[in-house]
Amino acid sequence: MPSPGIPIAKVQAILDAGRARGASAHAWLCAVGLPDDLTGVSTEHRVPAERVVELWEVLQREVRDPALPIDVAQRVRIDAYDIYGLALLTCRDVRAALGRAVRYFALAGNTGRLWVTEDGDEASVLHDRPGGAQPRLGLRCGIECVLAQVLHTLRQMVGEAALVRRVTFRHSPPADVSAHARFFGVTPRFGERENALVLDRALLSVELPRVHDSLTSFFERHAERMLASLREPTDTSVSAAVRAALAGGPFDVLPDLAAVARSLALSERTLRRRLADEGQSFKSLRDESLRERALSLLAAPRVSLVEVAFVLGFSDQTAFHRAFKRWTGKTPQSWRRDALT
């Protein structure tokens, strides 16, 4: 399955870790069309995974610090991954969270494969991606960072309960693994058969702070729509491409026209014209996407109207009320009452 690209938050973490070591990525930023200062770049922006592999190599060749992937892993909070992170954080226990991490792995911009095995009193999180046993430098950094991020995420969820038994990597060791040993709590073994983070199996049963089951289901449904948008589309119309871009956007703030046009490599004017040729407008498609999310949440009786408005990104309940009545001709209260009787 293709990757939607690496979230700008992850790219920022890589850049920050490199700059903290005195490195410059100016040439790389110019090559991918990004400014030196990413604070003005939309959080929806994603960078192709293969270009981020280049970034790892640009920085690592300059700083020559084996700790770089470990540092990056600790700089990114799971909620920076938007719907992917929320789908994990709203799970009932660690086992369910790792299951979603596996299923929605591509939504975080990752390539390759992540999977979990359980054997005896051990549970292993394994990762592999194209490149063979001795992949290029950028891929090695990425692999080390993925396993470190898994552990960092678990620690955000369950604290010190996330103890590591073993860590193994297929590739050869960097010059110094002391930072790896400090972070993982064990010294990783390199040149092994698998890239694996091995934990106590009992950790999988640790319960996470609960949220509304309905909100949990909402995040999961949205993640499924995003995952489906990565697959080969059967409808090749511009309208379908816009719907997919909207479905793949943040759950609380839908992409605007400029962001969607960029993602489709079109100018805003061309996108408007091509939608008009199909009898559509961007506003109508955006409202359609927001309406679907609203109906999905309102069908969950335990989610309050205030929570629905908040989750959908409205400034207050009144603004949501006006928008919903425009979409459906009904108030949110009356629609929910009719739907649930």
Side-chain angles (χ1 to χ4, degrees):
M1 180 179 294
S3 160
I6 307 299
I8 203 69
K10 175 71 172 287
V11 175
Q12 181 72 71
I14 299 172
L15 288 168
D16 288 347
R19 286 168 173 162
R21 294 162 169 78
S24 170
H26 178 73
W28 180 88
L29 286 162
C30 290
V32 296
L34 289 172
D36 283 339
D37 182 1
L38 298 186
T39 55
V41 178
S42 169
T43 56
E44 301 161 15
H45 188 85
R46 287 173 176 258
V47 178
E50 61 271 18
R51 303 310 302 269
V52 178
V53 171
E54 296 171 5
L55 175 60
W56 280 114
E57 294 180 349
V58 165
L59 296 178
Q60 195 62 292
R61 285 178 178 139
E62 185 172 350
V63 304
R64 298 184 181 278
D65 185 352
L68 186 67
I70 305 301
D71 184 4
V72 171
Q74 297 176 83
R75 287 174 181 266
V76 185
R77 290 190 58 82
I78 188 61
D79 51 14
Y81 286 106
D82 196 61
I83 198 68
Y84 174 78
L86 290 168
L88 270 58
L89 291 173
T90 56
C91 286
R92 66 183 180 277
D93 56 29
V94 172
R95 180 178 282 104
L98 287 176
R100 286 189 178 180
V102 168
R103 176 159 181 78
Y104 305 129
F105 191 53
L107 298 185
N110 297 302
T111 58
R113 179 186 172 213
L114 189 76
W115 71 104
V116 177
T117 63
E118 298 181 42
D119 183 20
D121 61 353
E122 293 184 341
S124 299
V125 182
L126 302 105
H127 173 50
D128 204 5
R129 59 190 296 176
Q134 297 299 327
R136 57 189 284 194
L137 175 61
L139 290 177
R140 296 199 300 273
C141 290
I143 290 167
E144 291 174 21
C145 188
V146 164
L147 290 190
Q149 276 192 286
V150 171
L151 180 59
H152 183 55
T153 298
L154 290 173
R155 285 174 175 164
Q156 292 175 62
M157 292 177 172
V158 300
E160 295 305 314
L163 295 176
V164 177
R165 289 192 173 192
R166 294 186 306 282
V167 183
T168 62
F169 293 102
R170 295 180 65 197
H171 55 267
S172 56
D176 182 1
V177 299
S178 58
H180 296 66
R182 285 193 300 271
F183 174 75
F184 287 111
V186 296
T187 301
R189 301 201 305 252
F190 291 81
E192 299 288 329
R193 292 190 308 160
E194 299 170 322
N195 303 312
L197 176 69
V198 183
L199 310 158
D200 285 333
R201 190 175 184 179
L203 178 66
L204 303 189
S205 300
V206 173
E207 293 188 354
L208 303 177
R210 299 301 302 273
V211 298
H212 284 307
D213 288 339
S214 301
L215 285 178
T216 299
S217 299
F218 172 74
F219 294 135
E220 186 171 37
R221 288 195 299 273
H222 191 57
E224 288 292 339
R225 286 196 296 270
M226 292 176 67
L227 200 63
S229 72
L230 297 183
R231 301 187 177 102
E232 191 67 29
T234 55
D235 184 348
T236 57
S237 67
V238 174
S239 301
V242 170
R243 286 190 177 96
L246 290 169
F251 76 95
D252 55 346
V253 182
L254 287 171
D256 60 14
L257 176 67
V260 172
R262 282 196 303 272
S263 72
L264 301 179
L266 298 172
S267 68
E268 294 178 43
R269 181 178 180 181
T270 299
L271 179 55
R272 285 196 186 96
R273 176 175 55 78
R274 293 181 64 177
L275 285 173
D277 290 343
E278 296 176 4
Q280 297 281 3
S281 71
F282 180 77
K283 183 180 184 303
S284 66
L285 292 175
R286 191 177 187 277
D287 277 356
E288 173 190 303
S289 182
L290 199 54
R291 175 181 177 274
E292 289 176 359
R293 299 182 190 196
L295 295 178
S296 176
L297 283 171
L298 287 171
R302 287 190 293 169
V303 182
S304 72
L305 296 180
V306 172
E307 288 172 319
V308 173
F310 174 76
V311 167
L312 294 176
F314 285 92
S315 57
D316 54 43
Q317 190 176 343
T318 301
F320 169 59
H321 184 283
R322 287 197 300 266
F324 191 83
K325 193 166 185 180
R326 186 177 73 250
W327 298 332
T328 67
K330 295 182 177 182
T331 65
Q333 297 95 324
S334 63
W335 186 93
R336 170 175 273 176
R337 185 175 58 249
D338 293 343
L340 298 179
T341 56

